[in-house]
Amino acid sequence: MAVNDAAAVRELLGSTGVRVREAVPLAELTTLRVGGPATVAECTTTDALVATVRALDSAGIPLLLVAGGSNLLIADTGFDGVVVRIATEGIRIGSDTVLAEAGADWDEVVRASVAAGSGGLECLSGIPGSAGATPVQNVGAYGVEVAQVLRRVRLLDRETGEIRWAEPGELGMRYRTSILKHSDRAVVLAVEFAVNPDGASAALRYGELARMFSAAEGETRPAADVRAAVLRLRAGKGMVLDAADHDTWSAGSFFTNPVIEHQDARAVIETIRAHVGDVTIPTYPSEDGIKFSAGWLIERAGFGKGFPGPAAAARLSTKHTLALTNRGGAAAADVVGLARTVRAGVQERFGIRLEPEPVTVGIEL
């Protein structure tokens, strides 16, 4: 079967009840709004998702799983296979847990949790994408990572066909990664989080956020108040989706903050100071070493907000140098070209190689 034969795919998936569309611009399914065409199978139930993945795998047809599309950079040539659109949306709030199907909008999960009087997820407000992607990336912001609040993940094993719940300890979750990110073997079907039934927020550990409440590090505040503050902070950085604001046509933070092993960190700091002078360099402790701010390095390497200028189809955000944005007419090649320029400049100036956070499909930096 030809992987781009939509009629054959419809026949194969007829019993699953999914809708199959052909030649769908994948730019419509990603927050960067770039990506060429593909056949798309829309799965609105978990049963349909499982049946679709199993049928495509049995037929040897390549598939690409897409839900919120917030962490994807897809080539202008599209995807030569079937894009399985995860459109499951269920959210169930328990006394001390939140259970979300993989396709549920992540910020809606957080909103519903806070509205029900639960705390713990509010620092992750405003992050675009789906609930199912959060353990894959070990999503984090404002002092909280998914690894800290994750209770379990329901997975489909594509090799054995088994469906089971996996504990966090099985997932190898570290800074912005997990074993799920580096393998296509498992499909996330649902995610369960532990929350605080008393409505108190997670401990405030991010300085900018804690200062908004005049809170000492580790104190808590009402989850609803913290969610509102996080949304304000993110909006000010162009990190809350807004169709009218091209600064939000992005994949969020495009590069991860580099982590340098302890024995190498002092030499890196000396290299940076040789270029920028005796200034305070923002660093943060990490289990693997010392974490440096990618946004700070990008700006100090000469790439300011809005680089390379208003005529460019792809630019750094005018609000935040860590976001690469589509100004309305960019192609994937434009975004990749900008990413290469920025990464090469930081490496040349400071000797640090930045790593992209988005998953790339059919294209490499």
Side-chain angles (χ1 to χ4, degrees), residues 196-267:
N196 306 323
D198 61 4
S201 71
L204 300 177
R205 303 195 183 282
Y206 192 84
E208 184 180 20
L209 181 60
R211 287 191 293 273
M212 293 180 72
F213 293 95
S214 300
E217 182 177 333
E219 290 184 352
T220 66
R221 292 292 186 271
D225 295 345
V226 174
R227 170 172 164 77
V230 168
L231 288 173
R232 286 197 301 274
L233 286 172
R234 290 186 65 87
K237 299 173 182 177
M239 293 294 187
V240 177
L241 293 182
D242 179 353
D245 182 2
H246 285 149
D247 276 335
T248 73
W249 291 29
S250 77
S253 298
F254 194 89
F255 295 103
T256 57
N257 291 320
V259 177
I260 307 299
E261 293 184 1
H262 289 286
Q263 64 267 26
D264 301 323
R266 181 172 295 279

